């Protein structure tokens, strides 16, 4: 995996959890206070925060999809996770596992190349 692809996945991963938190805050405090207590104070700032984070998520998702060449199913999964209230947490965890697997594979390739290169000398 090249550095630009790794960076794209990292950006997506780093925005996933805050986007999920902002969605939950908007649902619980924004909508909850508005419906239950009639207080609309929290809706606009929480909605704006969530909107900005969601737009960042979608932009980073598009960049990651373009760089990683995900299948349509994988790309759709990450998009669906962005519109579910806690989906961002699952996306972050899955992206972290993929990054760790990629690092392990890169280290294994490097060790294999060292062994093959050392045997040929």
């Amino acid at each position: 995996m090249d550095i630009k692809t790794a960076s794209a996945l990292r950006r997506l991963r780093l925005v996933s959890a805050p986007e999920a938190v902002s969605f939950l805050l908007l649902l619980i405090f924004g909508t909850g206070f508005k419906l239950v207590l009639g207080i609309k104070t929290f809706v606009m700032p929480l909605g704006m925060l969530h909107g900005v984070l969601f737009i960042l998520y979608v932009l980073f998702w598009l960049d990651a999809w373009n760089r990683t060449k995900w299948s349509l199913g994988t790309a759709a999964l990450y998009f669906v996770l962005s519109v579910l209230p806690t989906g961002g947490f699952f996306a972050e965890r899955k992206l972290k596992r993929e990054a760790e697997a990629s690092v392990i594979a890169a280290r294994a390739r490097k060790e294999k190349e060292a062994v093959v290169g050392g045997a040929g000398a």
Side-chain angles (χ1 to χ4, degrees):
M1 178 181 304
D2 68 338
I3 192 74
K4 289 185 179 183
T5 303
S7 295
L9 290 173
R10 181 173 167 77
R11 281 191 301 271
L12 180 60
R13 194 180 115 230
L14 290 177
V15 80
S16 295
E19 190 271 337
V21 169
S22 72
F23 195 5
L24 290 173
L25 289 174
L26 179 61
L27 289 175
I28 294 168
F29 291 107
T31 308
F33 281 14
K34 179 179 155 189
L35 294 175
V36 175
L37 303 174
I39 301 171
K40 298 179 183 178
T41 310
F42 297 105
V43 175
M44 186 167 209
L46 290 175
M48 187 178 296
L49 173 66
H50 174 65
V52 167
L53 289 170
F54 180 75
I55 289 169
L56 285 173
Y57 184 97
V58 170
L59 291 173
F60 294 159
W61 168 76
L62 286 169
D63 185 37
W65 184 11
N66 181 47
R67 292 187 186 282
T68 60
K69 307 298 184 220
W70 284 329
S71 68
L72 183 59
T74 301
L77 171 69
Y78 283 117
F79 185 78
V80 168
L81 288 174
S82 76
V83 296
L84 298 175
T86 58
F89 298 120
F90 294 105
E92 192 275 335
R93 189 177 316 144
K94 186 167 174 49
L95 287 163
K96 185 176 182 180
R97 275 191 248 130
E98 284 183 25
E100 290 170 351
S102 177
V103 167
I104 291 168
R107 286 182 183 159
R109 272 192 309 274
K110 193 173 185 179
E111 288 177 10
K112 184 179 178 182
E113 289 171 1
V115 169
V116 171

